Amino acid sequence: MPWQQAIIDAHAGKLLRGLFHSDGARVQNWGIGANGKRYEGYVRYFFDNASQDIIGICCASLDRLGISYTRPKERTVSVARRAAVAVLDEHVGPKS
């Protein structure tokens, strides 16, 4: 819808902050090395919503800010590249 795109264009960062604070998460991946020890991986964001309209608003906002993302599942958006996470950190910030 044109009116939604106008809001995305004007307030993409604020939209993403609200979306990720309500239905998203910022997590740090981890793994187990060959030596059996746990190691800390990279930080990433996930956004999950059943509404494809809301998912579309999230993706359009990410596109507007040039933030790369993937869609690992139909209702999930993932931001994992280091540079993309850094830009999203600027807009989302910690949950209050």
Side-chain angles (χ1 to χ4, degrees):
M1 297 248 170
W3 66 271
Q4 289 175 323
Q5 189 60 50
I7 293 171
I8 290 167
D9 290 343
H11 305 286
K14 289 179 182 177
L15 274 169
L16 289 171
R17 180 178 170 84
L19 291 171
F20 278 92
H21 280 205
S22 66
D23 293 322
R26 183 182 187 274
V27 299
Q28 184 167 15
N29 287 353
W30 58 274
I32 304 294
N35 58 5
K37 292 186 179 181
R38 178 184 164 126
Y39 67 91
E40 297 301 320
Y42 56 92
V43 174
R44 69 186 313 156
Y45 280 90
F46 290 104
F47 176 75
D48 190 80
N49 197 287
S51 167
Q52 288 304 302
D53 289 338
I54 300 296
I55 291 286
I57 289 170
C58 180
C59 292
S61 298
L62 291 166
D63 288 338
R64 177 72 172 99
L65 296 175
I67 298 172
S68 63
Y69 62 90
T70 60
R71 298 279 310 276
K73 297 180 183 174
E74 182 179 347
R75 57 184 286 165
T76 305
V77 177
S78 172
V79 176
R81 292 187 176 179
R82 189 174 301 180
V85 168
V87 174
L88 196 54
D89 278 342
E90 292 175 19
H91 294 281
V92 174
K95 287 186 179 183
S96 35

